[in-house]
């Protein structure tokens, strides 16, 4: 395991380990926000969250360092652009997923909005660091994952990103 700013983080080796959640978490069609504090390592496609079948949500970083949303690796349902996450640095990321739209932000900067015409609906997700039976093991260090089952709006999104940045990257918070 690793630490960042005095806080524990989970290390996934990129070979064969992942974390199964006690239960599956549904993804409502009306939209969900996902927030990650993550540091990528290794190469190739690396899953941050995944599921067990064809309608499950997968969020990963691809071989070019872009965030992707997929339906269990069968349909590309949107990608970020303009910034690679393959720099071995910590990042705060947010991804909004609905049946019609994907919004990507890396380090509080918009990195793409994608209008979705197919593959828009997801049922659930249940894994951290992989998807079931995957060759896309996440070679990642994962500090925190937050999931909100609605579109929380830009004001709340910005506040959550700021709080995560303060928590994970401001020394005085841990020292206090």
């Amino acid at each position: 395991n690793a630490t960042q700013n005095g806080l524990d983080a989970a290390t996934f080796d990129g070979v064969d380990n992942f974390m199964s959640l006690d239960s599956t978490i549904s993804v409502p069609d009306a939209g969900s926000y996902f927030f990650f504090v993550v540091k990528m390592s290794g190469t190739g496609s690396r899953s941050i969250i995944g599921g067990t079948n064809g309608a499950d949500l997968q969020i990963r970083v691809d071989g070019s360092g872009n965030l992707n949303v997929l339906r269990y690796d069968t349909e590309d349902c949107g990608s970020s652009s303009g910034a690679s996450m393959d720099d071995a640095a910590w990042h705060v990321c947010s991804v909004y997923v609905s049946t019609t739209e994907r919004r990507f932000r890396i380090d509080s900067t918009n990195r793409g909005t994608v209008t979705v015409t197919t593959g828009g609906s997801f049922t659930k997700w249940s894994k951290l660091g992989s998807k079931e039976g995957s060759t896309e093991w996440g070679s990642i260090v994962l500090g925190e994952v937050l999931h909100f089952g609605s579109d929380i709006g830009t004001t709340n999104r910005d506040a959550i990103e700021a709080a995560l940045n303060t928590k994970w990257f401001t020394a005085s918070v841990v020292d206090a």
Side-chain angles (χ1 to χ4, degrees):
N1 285 337
T3 60
Q4 167 63 27
N5 200 29
L7 301 168
D8 290 331
T11 300
F12 296 89
D13 65 10
V15 178
D16 61 358
N17 65 352
F18 61 91
M19 182 183 299
S20 290
L21 305 177
D22 285 339
S23 62
T24 58
I25 300 171
S26 63
V27 180
D29 286 345
S32 287
Y33 252 107
F34 295 87
F35 295 85
F36 308 97
V37 178
V38 64
K39 179 170 74 169
M40 307 306 293
S41 62
T43 59
S45 296
R46 286 135 305 157
S47 294
I48 299 171
I49 68 169
T52 58
N53 68 46
D56 288 355
L57 174 66
Q58 180 187 9
I59 298 178
R60 71 175 188 187
V61 172
D62 67 16
S64 299
N66 294 309
L67 278 169
N68 302 143
V69 171
L70 299 103
R71 287 186 68 183
Y72 195 65
D73 205 27
T74 59
E75 295 179 67
D76 185 351
C77 298
S79 297
S80 67
S81 61
S84 175
M85 291 181 55
D86 280 339
D87 56 6
W90 284 93
H91 297 281
V92 173
C93 305
S94 66
V95 178
Y96 173 74
V97 177
S98 77
T99 56
T100 59
E101 184 180 43
R102 312 288 183 258
R103 295 180 223 141
F104 300 91
R105 288 172 57 86
I106 301 171
D107 299 324
S108 301
T109 301
N110 291 328
R111 295 296 180 189
T113 298
V114 178
T115 301
V116 179
T117 56
T118 62
S121 184
F122 301 95
T123 55
K124 63 187 180 333
W125 64 282
S126 59
K127 309 257 181 258
L128 295 174
S130 181
K131 62 182 181 110
E132 187 76 19
S134 175
T135 58
E136 294 179 2
W137 303 103
S139 184
I140 62 175
V141 182
L142 192 57
E144 191 161 345
V145 176
L146 300 173
H147 173 223
F148 295 87
S150 65
D151 185 346
I152 60 172
T154 57
T155 301
N156 288 326
R157 179 207 62 206
D158 293 349
I160 291 167
E161 288 176 351
L164 289 172
N165 271 299
T166 298
K167 177 179 178 179
W168 286 91
F169 308 116
T170 303
S172 63
V173 172
V174 175
D175 295 339

